Amino acid sequence: MTKEIEWKERFNIGVENIDKAHQNLFSIVRKLIYLNQEEKKGQWACAEGIKYFKNYAVKHFAEEEAYMLSIHYPGYEIHKRLHDD
């Protein structure tokens, strides 16, 4: 597996559901890399994987932004712009 895409404990922010979602995002990216490297998997599998990643990320961003608003996170606006980009 690709070492650059491995989750590290130092990435945790201490909010369990957000940390788990971030770990899942890493896992999805690893699977996409694997699919890309496997010629037998084909373009269809990669395209479906990318759609899944996008849907998961959009849902996660909404949940993360709601959490940041609920705790009055001071960096919310900047983080929201990063998500929007």
Side-chain angles (χ1 to χ4, degrees):
M1 221 25 91
T2 306
K3 290 277 185 208
E4 299 85 33
I5 311 298
E6 287 185 11
W7 180 261
K8 295 180 177 40
E9 289 299 313
R10 64 185 168 95
F11 298 155
N12 286 324
I13 64 166
V15 179
E16 185 176 353
N17 62 331
I18 292 176
D19 289 337
K20 286 189 183 288
H22 289 161
Q23 290 173 31
N24 285 337
L25 287 168
F26 272 63
S27 176
I28 295 165
V29 169
R30 280 194 309 272
K31 288 175 186 171
L32 286 170
I33 290 169
Y34 172 77
L35 288 172
N36 185 54
Q37 293 171 345
E38 290 291 313
E39 291 181 32
K40 296 176 188 172
K41 302 296 180 188
Q43 289 181 333
W44 179 85
C46 284
E48 290 303 306
I50 290 168
K51 283 185 209 174
Y52 179 79
F53 177 81
K54 179 183 176 190
N55 290 334
Y56 188 90
V58 168
K59 179 181 179 281
H60 165 66
F61 288 170
E63 291 170 353
E64 188 174 82
E65 290 164 10
Y67 173 75
M68 287 188 283
L69 286 172
S70 76
I71 63 166
H72 307 288
Y73 179 63
Y76 170 79
E77 292 297 328
I78 293 168
H79 204 95
K80 171 93 171 93
R81 273 188 254 132
L82 291 170
H83 284 172
D84 291 346
D85 287 346

